[in-house]
Amino acid sequence: MAKSNLKIHFLGTGTSQGIPVIGSDHPVCLSTDAKDKRLRSSILLEKNGKVITIDCGPDFRQQMLRYNAQRLDAILFTHEHSDHVLGIDDIRPLVFKAGQDMPVYGLERVLSELKNRFPYMYAQEKYPGVASLIEHHVNSEAFTVADFHIQPLHVMHGPLPILGYKIDNRFAYLTDVKTLPDHTITQLQGIDVLVISALRKKDKHFSHLLLDEAIEYAIKIGAKKTFFTHLSHHLGFHSQVDKELPENMYLAFDTLEIDLS
Ligand SMILES: [Zn+2]
């Protein structure tokens, strides 16, 4: 397979409330290990100097400052839940710097929900300083954005159909997964690195995989390496849980980088 110069950076690996949870005295929330501090889930992909993110949650500003991001060429959305979209207003400095509106990609339902939540970004006559979005509806067709080859993947988040993305046929990012259609599992065969969500160990959730369920999918997909993300404090301490995982499976953590060049 062709080399892809792809670099992956985890902007956030926490579930919707992040870790620590506000006001919580749970031991994981009180942990002093930096790997137990998880902002809301999102990743940044870099290739040939171009940068895209998957999702743009409420911690977007802090995440992009921490990464020292200088540009953003597009945003791919998995779905419309708040922990995946609420940072969209903070794209403004990057839009002003580039002098270009921001291309956003997602299911038609997801992009129309963005319009409901952020109507001022779509107004004909905008308040000065508001950023504009360029909408690209995505369904099953592969597409190219800023040097990245992107294959959307259909994923079920409980009853809600959402998207994951396969990048350059080597890497896939699946968050907020409850079930994967067989077709999606077929599309994932042969990838080098899989990222898949795992909420916690116990108490089944209607719309999120538990860790053992995510491991089952990871075994079926058979990537060379698998990283788990979108983690709750109920999963446990990073250092303990990471040790218990099967071979070539790891917990992701904020700021983790994977180089696929
Ligand atoms: Zn969600």
Side-chain angles (χ1 to χ4, degrees):
M1 186 163 294
K3 291 207 165 187
S4 74
N5 305 321
L6 183 62
K7 194 169 99 180
I8 299 124
H9 174 93
F10 286 81
L11 293 170
T13 58
T15 187
S16 58
Q17 297 186 81
I19 308 177
V21 171
I22 297 171
S24 167
D25 59 2
H26 188 283
V28 173
C29 294
L30 300 178
S31 166
T32 53
D33 182 351
K35 290 181 181 170
D36 286 323
K37 311 234 176 277
R38 301 184 188 274
L39 298 177
R40 266 60 71 88
S41 288
S42 174
I43 57 162
L44 180 147
L45 301 163
E46 196 166 346
K47 181 182 179 183
N48 304 335
K50 309 263 175 71
V51 173
I52 63 175
T53 66
I54 302 181
D55 292 331
C56 181
D59 300 315
F60 175 80
R61 175 179 174 275
Q62 186 183 348
Q63 291 166 333
M64 294 302 260
L65 285 171
R66 181 164 71 178
Y67 184 72
N68 193 24
Q70 299 296 316
R71 62 185 292 154
L72 181 59
D73 294 280
I75 304 170
L76 314 182
F77 285 103
T78 59
H79 67 301
E80 65 272 43
H81 286 163
S82 292
D83 52 326
H84 298 263
V85 305
L86 275 189
I88 193 76
D89 191 71
D90 282 321
I91 62 173
R92 287 184 297 147
L94 294 160
V95 166
F96 301 153
K97 193 174 176 190
Q100 284 172 359
D101 296 341
M102 182 62 67
V104 291
Y105 293 77
L107 291 169
E108 191 173 351
R109 181 200 76 229
V110 171
L111 298 187
S112 69
E113 179 59 22
L114 273 188
K115 204 175 273 182
N116 288 338
R117 298 221 199 159
F118 304 93
Y120 60 93
M121 295 180 88
Y122 296 85
Q124 284 292 339
E125 288 184 33
K126 289 194 178 62
Y127 189 83
V130 169
S132 292
L133 308 176
I134 307 167
E135 293 185 287
H136 297 273
H137 293 162
V138 170
N139 198 336
S140 301
E141 294 288 304
F143 57 95
T144 302
V145 49
D147 293 3
F148 300 86
H149 178 269
I150 317 244
Q151 173 64 59
L153 302 166
H154 291 282
V155 171
M156 294 304 293
H157 182 15
L160 188 70
I162 68 167
L163 292 180
Y165 294 97
K166 183 170 71 166
I167 316 288
D168 289 349
N169 286 317
R170 299 188 66 187
F171 170 77
Y173 183 78
L174 310 176
T175 189
D176 292 56
V177 180
K178 181 62 191 182
T179 50
L180 295 178
D182 289 343
H183 179 61
T184 296
I185 295 176
T186 304
Q187 286 176 302
L188 289 165
Q189 298 302 308
I191 60 167
D192 292 326
V193 175
L194 170 70
V195 177
I196 186 168
S197 56
L199 188 66
R200 58 194 180 211
K201 287 183 176 173
K202 285 189 288 200
D203 299 329
K204 273 200 184 293
H205 193 284
F206 82 104
S207 65
H208 288 281
L209 292 171
L210 300 185
L211 182 61
D212 58 352
E213 297 169 324
I215 288 171
E216 256 178 66
Y217 273 130
I219 290 168
K220 270 192 196 169
I221 292 162
K224 290 183 189 145
K225 287 186 178 182
T226 299
F227 293 84
F228 300 104
T229 192
H230 205 280
L231 309 170
S232 155
H233 60 291
H234 293 299
L235 184 73
F237 293 105
H238 180 97
S239 58
Q240 281 179 10
V241 179
D242 195 50
K243 278 199 299 238
E244 302 162 4
L245 295 173
E247 214 183 340
N248 301 317
M249 296 191 193
Y250 313 88
L251 291 190
F253 57 89
D254 289 24
T255 75
L256 170 65
E257 293 199 342
I258 303 169
D259 194 340
L260 287 178
S261 56

